[in-house]
Amino acid sequence: MFKKLPFILMTLTFVLVLAACGSKNDAGTEGSNNSTGETATELSGNILAVGSTALQPLVEQAGQKFMAVDEYKNVTVQVQGGGSGTGLTQVSDGQATIGNSDVFAEEKIDDAAKVSELKDHQVAVVAIAPVSNKDAGVQDLTKQQLIDIFSGKITNWKDVGGADQAIVIVNRPSSSGTRATFENFALGTKVEDIQGSIQEDSSGTVKKLVAETPGAIGYLALSYLDDSLQVLKYEGVEATVENVEAGTYPVWAYEHMYTKGDPDAATQAFLDYILSDEIQQNDVTELGYIPVSGMKVKRDAAGTVTQ
Amino acid sequence: MNNKLKPRRPLREKHYWEEWTGRIYTSICVVFLIVVMFSIVYFVASKGLSTFFQNGVSLREFLSGKTWNPTGEPAAYGALPFITGSFITTLLAALIASPLSLCAALFMTEIVPGKGKKILQPAIELLSGIPSVVYGFIGLSVIVPLLRSMFGGAGVGIAAGCLVLSVMILPTVTSIMADALSALPKGLRESSYALGATRWQTIYRVIIPTVLPALLTGIVLGMARAFGEALAVQMVIGNAPHVPTSLLESASTLTSVITLSMGNTTMGSVHNNALWSMALVLLVMTFVFVILVRLLERRNRV
């Protein structure tokens, strides 16, 4: 009888392992639905926010502050990176409560039914400025000049009024949200990758390469700009918070936090908290984003700007 | 299994359970490992193959197409630039690292076996402990500016990538070579010396030919590591999706383009599936490397 016991144990373990693999992972939303009917003081639940690495620092910082508020002490906020695509996939599949994204879901997900399930919450604005190496000798570029540079028609800075220096393009990968924003609103067209151009996904690396490589041009979010780079004006307009808010500087995009359908009470409280003055006036500006409340213009998924 | 001793002492029960706990524990681990391995292969294969079966990208276009433009109209999914990038960097890295490793291994085992081993071995083991992001950052801060000032241009490219990789695979190759050399029977060297051969004659006429398969195993394992390395290479190679025309031109490897784009694409999209197909290519290459090592080992035994 004893001889059979080990085999039974082994089979049991095997079955358990398989069962564990099969069960759906819904830890992210577990419990949060229970709190809907309760009073605000007893809010509880787990919020899992996944996605955009550009938005991650803000959500992380806001999450820490949110959990420290007495009212919300039973709510846990977890933040993970992984990229906008991952965030949208996971929120759409119900694996994450919130999907952080740099772009509208329409631009990433082809399935219209899946997009219509998602609810968009715009929490901040990020503006992007073209930057060049300091030796390039150019301060201002027009839209057409930028198109010519990024599509490889102009390959020397002297053709746009700068030094006699070959242009090195430091681009983002074609799937990047920052690149999509730059192409949509600065160039107005998609450009192909030029042979010999450089592609980096991290803003830190882009900054380092543009600052050190003679003749380099790239683009960065406002929070990364400093004296090591030449920040280029776009059509004569400087990339400043005021110009973006007034709508005169066009190269900007929303940071989105998507939920699947209407958020539950705990998630709604967290989203409200991020949109509150407390976060918008302090953390958002501190981290280099532009408060969404200050924007005098609005933009929809198709790119149409309204006052 | 069948030669189990018939225990006659009262401890019989205890030994019986000891035996079975160990056996169950190891069996569970083995089963778990096999399940994990097959799941990974199944997952990568099902994702990677759906590019061809569901999205209708032709295998020929994927393997020999030179244009990679998944967001363009029409979209193009040619992965040849990444495949060539991976192979060129890997081969060059192996070419740089192998002679260095061989010399280091010979130094440790043949030339100054005592002190050499005491100093060089920990130094080389230390190299393998450095995280790849550090290698990448050193590459970006030291090698790229150096190449830029020496040859002009941007500095990033295949040359920077394979230099960083060659340092990264040094420890793997060196330690396997050193193990093989020190495992040689002493009699071999002694008989060579007894015949009046000098140390160099012994090394290149007797020792190296004898352990050649093991030396090649080391190189192949180093290449496997280089082929799969992502982060450090991605930081210095430039990642342009084109077949490079010179060593100093920006290029991509399979791993660098996967890490660069995977997070930005949604699961199930053609772009994402194409990235999984590249992962499948990497997996297949890993199998090829493992098979190579097995073949070399077999030759070693004969």
Side-chain angles (χ1 to χ4, degrees), chain A residues 155-200:
Chain A
T155 54
N156 196 308
W157 282 107
K158 69 173 190 269
D159 296 333
V160 289
D164 183 8
Q165 172 84 57
I167 296 176
V168 178
I169 300 169
V170 184
N171 221 331
R172 295 296 173 95
S174 51
S175 54
S176 146
T178 309
R179 172 150 163 187
T181 305
F182 187 74
E183 286 184 338
N184 286 345
F185 305 117
L187 306 180
T189 171
K190 279 200 180 300
V191 285
E192 282 186 27
D193 299 305
I194 308 299
Q195 175 116 24
S197 67
I198 299 168
Q199 287 189 12
E200 294 292 342

Short mmCIF file of all heavy atoms in Angstrom, two decimals, chain A residues 155-200:
data_model
loop_
_atom_site.label_atom_id
_atom_site.label_comp_id
_atom_site.label_asym_id
_atom_site.label_seq_id
_atom_site.Cartn_x
_atom_site.Cartn_y
_atom_site.Cartn_z
N THR A 155 20.79 66.20 -45.74
CA THR A 155 21.70 65.40 -44.95
C THR A 155 22.83 66.22 -44.35
O THR A 155 23.72 65.67 -43.72
CB THR A 155 22.32 64.27 -45.80
OG1 THR A 155 22.91 64.88 -46.95
CG2 THR A 155 21.28 63.27 -46.24
N ASN A 156 22.81 67.53 -44.58
CA ASN A 156 23.86 68.37 -44.01
C ASN A 156 23.24 69.60 -43.37
O ASN A 156 22.31 70.19 -43.92
CB ASN A 156 24.86 68.77 -45.10
CG ASN A 156 26.14 69.31 -44.50
OD1 ASN A 156 26.13 70.20 -43.67
ND2 ASN A 156 27.27 68.75 -44.93
N TRP A 157 23.77 69.99 -42.23
CA TRP A 157 23.20 71.12 -41.50
C TRP A 157 23.31 72.43 -42.27
O TRP A 157 22.55 73.36 -42.06
CB TRP A 157 23.89 71.28 -40.13
CG TRP A 157 23.39 70.29 -39.12
CD1 TRP A 157 24.06 69.20 -38.66
CD2 TRP A 157 22.12 70.30 -38.47
NE1 TRP A 157 23.28 68.51 -37.76
CE2 TRP A 157 22.09 69.17 -37.61
CE3 TRP A 157 21.00 71.14 -38.51
CZ2 TRP A 157 21.00 68.87 -36.82
CZ3 TRP A 157 19.92 70.83 -37.72
CH2 TRP A 157 19.92 69.71 -36.88
N LYS A 158 24.30 72.51 -43.19
CA LYS A 158 24.47 73.78 -43.90
C LYS A 158 23.27 74.10 -44.80
O LYS A 158 23.00 75.24 -45.10
CB LYS A 158 25.79 73.81 -44.68
CG LYS A 158 25.84 72.88 -45.88
CD LYS A 158 27.15 73.15 -46.65
CE LYS A 158 27.15 72.43 -47.98
NZ LYS A 158 27.72 71.10 -47.97
N ASP A 159 22.52 73.05 -45.18
CA ASP A 159 21.35 73.28 -46.03
C ASP A 159 20.19 73.93 -45.28
O ASP A 159 19.22 74.37 -45.89
CB ASP A 159 20.87 71.96 -46.64
CG ASP A 159 21.92 71.37 -47.59
OD1 ASP A 159 22.71 72.17 -48.14
OD2 ASP A 159 21.94 70.14 -47.74
N VAL A 160 20.25 73.91 -43.95
CA VAL A 160 19.20 74.60 -43.18
C VAL A 160 19.80 75.77 -42.40
O VAL A 160 19.28 76.18 -41.37
CB VAL A 160 18.46 73.63 -42.23
CG1 VAL A 160 17.58 72.68 -43.02
CG2 VAL A 160 19.43 72.85 -41.36
N GLY A 161 20.94 76.26 -42.87
CA GLY A 161 21.53 77.45 -42.28
C GLY A 161 22.45 77.19 -41.10
O GLY A 161 22.72 78.10 -40.32
N GLY A 162 22.96 75.98 -41.00
CA GLY A 162 23.84 75.68 -39.88
C GLY A 162 25.27 75.43 -40.32
O GLY A 162 25.68 75.86 -41.40
N ALA A 163 26.02 74.71 -39.49
CA ALA A 163 27.41 74.41 -39.79
C ALA A 163 27.50 73.37 -40.90
O ALA A 163 26.53 72.68 -41.21
CB ALA A 163 28.10 73.89 -38.53
N ASP A 164 28.70 73.25 -41.52
CA ASP A 164 28.91 72.22 -42.53
C ASP A 164 29.18 70.91 -41.80
O ASP A 164 30.31 70.54 -41.50
CB ASP A 164 30.10 72.61 -43.43
CG ASP A 164 30.29 71.59 -44.55
OD1 ASP A 164 29.43 70.70 -44.69
OD2 ASP A 164 31.30 71.69 -45.26
N GLN A 165 28.12 70.18 -41.54
CA GLN A 165 28.21 69.03 -40.65
C GLN A 165 27.12 68.04 -41.06
O GLN A 165 25.97 68.44 -41.25
CB GLN A 165 27.97 69.52 -39.20
CG GLN A 165 27.83 68.44 -38.17
CD GLN A 165 29.19 67.97 -37.69
OE1 GLN A 165 29.98 68.76 -37.21
NE2 GLN A 165 29.44 66.69 -37.84
N ALA A 166 27.50 66.76 -41.21
CA ALA A 166 26.50 65.76 -41.60
C ALA A 166 25.47 65.56 -40.49
O ALA A 166 25.80 65.63 -39.30
CB ALA A 166 27.19 64.43 -41.90
N ILE A 167 24.23 65.35 -40.88
CA ILE A 167 23.15 65.17 -39.90
C ILE A 167 23.06 63.71 -39.49
O ILE A 167 23.04 62.82 -40.34
CB ILE A 167 21.80 65.64 -40.47
CG1 ILE A 167 21.83 67.14 -40.76
CG2 ILE A 167 20.66 65.31 -39.52
CD1 ILE A 167 20.58 67.67 -41.41
N VAL A 168 23.05 63.45 -38.19
CA VAL A 168 22.83 62.10 -37.67
C VAL A 168 21.46 62.09 -37.00
O VAL A 168 21.23 62.83 -36.05
CB VAL A 168 23.92 61.70 -36.65
CG1 VAL A 168 23.64 60.32 -36.09
CG2 VAL A 168 25.29 61.76 -37.28
N ILE A 169 20.55 61.25 -37.50
CA ILE A 169 19.20 61.22 -36.94
C ILE A 169 19.14 60.24 -35.76
O ILE A 169 19.52 59.08 -35.91
CB ILE A 169 18.18 60.81 -38.01
CG1 ILE A 169 18.20 61.81 -39.16
CG2 ILE A 169 16.78 60.70 -37.41
CD1 ILE A 169 17.42 61.34 -40.37
N VAL A 170 18.70 60.73 -34.62
CA VAL A 170 18.47 59.84 -33.48
C VAL A 170 16.96 59.73 -33.31
O VAL A 170 16.31 60.64 -32.81
CB VAL A 170 19.13 60.37 -32.20
CG1 VAL A 170 18.96 59.38 -31.07
CG2 VAL A 170 20.61 60.64 -32.43
N ASN A 171 16.42 58.61 -33.75
CA ASN A 171 14.98 58.43 -33.81
C ASN A 171 14.49 57.51 -32.71
O ASN A 171 15.28 56.93 -31.96
CB ASN A 171 14.63 57.82 -35.18
CG ASN A 171 13.40 58.43 -35.77
OD1 ASN A 171 12.52 58.88 -35.03
ND2 ASN A 171 13.32 58.43 -37.07
N ARG A 172 13.16 57.36 -32.61
CA ARG A 172 12.57 56.33 -31.76
C ARG A 172 12.14 55.19 -32.66
O ARG A 172 11.92 55.39 -33.85
CB ARG A 172 11.34 56.88 -31.04
CG ARG A 172 11.62 57.99 -30.07
CD ARG A 172 12.48 57.46 -28.96
NE ARG A 172 12.90 58.54 -28.08
CZ ARG A 172 12.27 58.87 -26.96
NH1 ARG A 172 11.18 58.25 -26.60
NH2 ARG A 172 12.73 59.84 -26.22
N PRO A 173 11.97 53.98 -32.10
CA PRO A 173 11.46 52.87 -32.92
C PRO A 173 10.07 53.19 -33.44
O PRO A 173 9.33 53.96 -32.83
CB PRO A 173 11.44 51.68 -31.96
CG PRO A 173 11.58 52.24 -30.61
CD PRO A 173 12.27 53.55 -30.74
N SER A 174 9.71 52.60 -34.58
CA SER A 174 8.47 52.98 -35.25
C SER A 174 7.23 52.71 -34.41
O SER A 174 6.17 53.25 -34.69
CB SER A 174 8.36 52.26 -36.59
OG SER A 174 8.58 50.88 -36.41
N SER A 175 7.36 51.87 -33.36
CA SER A 175 6.19 51.57 -32.54
C SER A 175 6.04 52.54 -31.37
O SER A 175 5.06 52.48 -30.63
CB SER A 175 6.31 50.15 -32.00
OG SER A 175 7.55 50.00 -31.35
N SER A 176 7.00 53.45 -31.21
CA SER A 176 7.02 54.28 -30.01
C SER A 176 5.94 55.36 -30.02
O SER A 176 5.64 55.96 -31.06
CB SER A 176 8.40 54.92 -29.88
OG SER A 176 8.32 56.19 -29.32
N GLY A 177 5.37 55.63 -28.86
CA GLY A 177 4.34 56.66 -28.75
C GLY A 177 4.90 58.05 -28.95
O GLY A 177 4.27 58.92 -29.55
N THR A 178 6.13 58.27 -28.46
CA THR A 178 6.77 59.57 -28.63
C THR A 178 6.99 59.85 -30.12
O THR A 178 6.76 60.96 -30.59
CB THR A 178 8.13 59.58 -27.90
OG1 THR A 178 7.92 59.13 -26.57
CG2 THR A 178 8.72 60.97 -27.88
N ARG A 179 7.42 58.82 -30.85
CA ARG A 179 7.64 59.01 -32.28
C ARG A 179 6.32 59.30 -32.98
O ARG A 179 6.25 60.17 -33.86
CB ARG A 179 8.29 57.76 -32.89
CG ARG A 179 8.35 57.84 -34.41
CD ARG A 179 9.53 57.11 -34.95
NE ARG A 179 9.40 56.85 -36.38
CZ ARG A 179 10.25 56.09 -37.06
NH1 ARG A 179 11.25 55.52 -36.43
NH2 ARG A 179 10.09 55.91 -38.34
N ALA A 180 5.25 58.59 -32.57
CA ALA A 180 3.94 58.82 -33.19
C ALA A 180 3.53 60.28 -32.97
O ALA A 180 3.06 60.95 -33.90
CB ALA A 180 2.92 57.87 -32.59
N THR A 181 3.72 60.80 -31.75
CA THR A 181 3.37 62.18 -31.45
C THR A 181 4.18 63.14 -32.32
O THR A 181 3.65 64.07 -32.90
CB THR A 181 3.64 62.48 -29.97
OG1 THR A 181 2.94 61.53 -29.18
CG2 THR A 181 3.22 63.89 -29.61
N PHE A 182 5.47 62.89 -32.41
CA PHE A 182 6.34 63.76 -33.20
C PHE A 182 5.95 63.73 -34.67
O PHE A 182 5.86 64.77 -35.33
CB PHE A 182 7.80 63.34 -33.01
CG PHE A 182 8.79 64.28 -33.65
CD1 PHE A 182 9.05 65.51 -33.08
CD2 PHE A 182 9.44 63.92 -34.82
CE1 PHE A 182 9.96 66.38 -33.67
CE2 PHE A 182 10.36 64.80 -35.41
CZ PHE A 182 10.60 66.02 -34.83
N GLU A 183 5.69 62.52 -35.18
CA GLU A 183 5.34 62.41 -36.61
C GLU A 183 3.98 63.05 -36.89
O GLU A 183 3.82 63.77 -37.88
CB GLU A 183 5.33 60.93 -37.03
CG GLU A 183 6.73 60.37 -37.15
CD GLU A 183 6.75 58.94 -37.66
OE1 GLU A 183 5.72 58.23 -37.52
OE2 GLU A 183 7.78 58.52 -38.18
N ASN A 184 3.02 62.82 -35.99
CA ASN A 184 1.67 63.35 -36.23
C ASN A 184 1.63 64.87 -36.18
O ASN A 184 1.00 65.50 -37.00
CB ASN A 184 0.70 62.81 -35.19
CG ASN A 184 0.36 61.36 -35.44
OD1 ASN A 184 0.62 60.85 -36.51
ND2 ASN A 184 -0.20 60.70 -34.44
N PHE A 185 2.29 65.47 -35.19
CA PHE A 185 2.06 66.88 -34.92
C PHE A 185 3.21 67.79 -35.32
O PHE A 185 3.02 68.98 -35.51
CB PHE A 185 1.69 67.08 -33.45
CG PHE A 185 0.52 66.23 -33.05
CD1 PHE A 185 0.64 65.24 -32.10
CD2 PHE A 185 -0.71 66.41 -33.68
CE1 PHE A 185 -0.44 64.44 -31.78
CE2 PHE A 185 -1.79 65.62 -33.35
CZ PHE A 185 -1.66 64.64 -32.40
N ALA A 186 4.43 67.25 -35.45
CA ALA A 186 5.53 68.10 -35.92
C ALA A 186 5.74 67.91 -37.42
O ALA A 186 5.92 68.88 -38.15
CB ALA A 186 6.80 67.77 -35.16
N LEU A 187 5.70 66.66 -37.88
CA LEU A 187 5.96 66.41 -39.30
C LEU A 187 4.66 66.33 -40.10
O LEU A 187 4.63 66.64 -41.28
CB LEU A 187 6.75 65.11 -39.47
CG LEU A 187 8.05 64.97 -38.69
CD1 LEU A 187 8.69 63.63 -38.98
CD2 LEU A 187 9.01 66.08 -39.07
N GLY A 188 3.59 65.85 -39.47
CA GLY A 188 2.33 65.69 -40.17
C GLY A 188 2.33 64.50 -41.11
O GLY A 188 1.40 64.30 -41.89
N THR A 189 3.38 63.70 -41.06
CA THR A 189 3.46 62.54 -41.94
C THR A 189 4.36 61.49 -41.29
O THR A 189 5.18 61.80 -40.44
CB THR A 189 4.07 62.93 -43.30
OG1 THR A 189 4.31 61.74 -44.05
CG2 THR A 189 5.39 63.66 -43.15
N LYS A 190 4.15 60.23 -41.69
CA LYS A 190 5.03 59.18 -41.19
C LYS A 190 6.31 59.17 -42.02
O LYS A 190 6.26 59.40 -43.22
CB LYS A 190 4.35 57.82 -41.32
CG LYS A 190 3.36 57.53 -40.20
CD LYS A 190 3.11 56.04 -40.09
CE LYS A 190 2.12 55.71 -38.99
NZ LYS A 190 2.58 56.14 -37.66
N VAL A 191 7.44 58.96 -41.37
CA VAL A 191 8.67 58.87 -42.15
C VAL A 191 9.27 57.48 -41.99
O VAL A 191 9.12 56.84 -40.96
CB VAL A 191 9.72 59.92 -41.71
CG1 VAL A 191 9.33 61.29 -42.21
CG2 VAL A 191 9.91 59.92 -40.22
N GLU A 192 9.95 57.03 -43.03
CA GLU A 192 10.60 55.73 -42.96
C GLU A 192 11.95 55.87 -42.27
O GLU A 192 12.50 56.96 -42.17
CB GLU A 192 10.77 55.14 -44.35
CG GLU A 192 9.50 54.56 -44.88
CD GLU A 192 9.69 53.86 -46.21
OE1 GLU A 192 10.81 53.39 -46.47
OE2 GLU A 192 8.72 53.80 -46.96
N ASP A 193 12.46 54.73 -41.80
CA ASP A 193 13.76 54.78 -41.13
C ASP A 193 14.86 54.90 -42.17
O ASP A 193 14.94 54.12 -43.11
CB ASP A 193 13.95 53.51 -40.31
CG ASP A 193 12.89 53.39 -39.24
OD1 ASP A 193 12.76 54.33 -38.46
OD2 ASP A 193 12.19 52.37 -39.22
N ILE A 194 15.72 55.89 -41.96
CA ILE A 194 16.81 56.13 -42.90
C ILE A 194 17.95 55.18 -42.58
O ILE A 194 18.24 54.91 -41.42
CB ILE A 194 17.31 57.58 -42.76
CG1 ILE A 194 16.15 58.56 -42.84
CG2 ILE A 194 18.37 57.91 -43.79
CD1 ILE A 194 15.41 58.49 -44.13
N GLN A 195 18.61 54.69 -43.62
CA GLN A 195 19.81 53.87 -43.43
C GLN A 195 20.84 54.68 -42.64
O GLN A 195 21.11 55.83 -42.98
CB GLN A 195 20.37 53.46 -44.78
CG GLN A 195 21.68 52.70 -44.70
CD GLN A 195 21.54 51.27 -45.22
OE1 GLN A 195 20.67 50.96 -46.01
NE2 GLN A 195 22.42 50.40 -44.76
N GLY A 196 21.37 54.08 -41.59
CA GLY A 196 22.39 54.78 -40.82
C GLY A 196 21.83 55.62 -39.69
O GLY A 196 22.59 56.15 -38.88
N SER A 197 20.50 55.77 -39.61
CA SER A 197 19.93 56.52 -38.49
C SER A 197 20.03 55.65 -37.23
O SER A 197 20.21 54.45 -37.30
CB SER A 197 18.48 56.87 -38.76
OG SER A 197 17.69 55.70 -38.79
N ILE A 198 19.92 56.32 -36.09
CA ILE A 198 20.03 55.61 -34.83
C ILE A 198 18.65 55.52 -34.21
O ILE A 198 17.87 56.46 -34.30
CB ILE A 198 21.00 56.34 -33.89
CG1 ILE A 198 22.39 56.40 -34.51
CG2 ILE A 198 21.05 55.69 -32.52
CD1 ILE A 198 23.33 57.33 -33.79
N GLN A 199 18.33 54.40 -33.60
CA GLN A 199 17.06 54.28 -32.89
C GLN A 199 17.30 53.89 -31.45
O GLN A 199 18.00 52.93 -31.18
CB GLN A 199 16.18 53.22 -33.55
CG GLN A 199 15.61 53.68 -34.87
CD GLN A 199 14.58 52.72 -35.41
OE1 GLN A 199 14.12 51.83 -34.72
NE2 GLN A 199 14.22 52.90 -36.66
N GLU A 200 16.74 54.67 -30.55
CA GLU A 200 16.85 54.34 -29.13
C GLU A 200 15.48 54.49 -28.51
O GLU A 200 14.70 55.36 -28.91
CB GLU A 200 17.84 55.27 -28.43
CG GLU A 200 19.27 55.12 -28.89
CD GLU A 200 19.90 53.80 -28.49
OE1 GLU A 200 19.37 53.12 -27.58
OE2 GLU A 200 20.92 53.44 -29.09
#
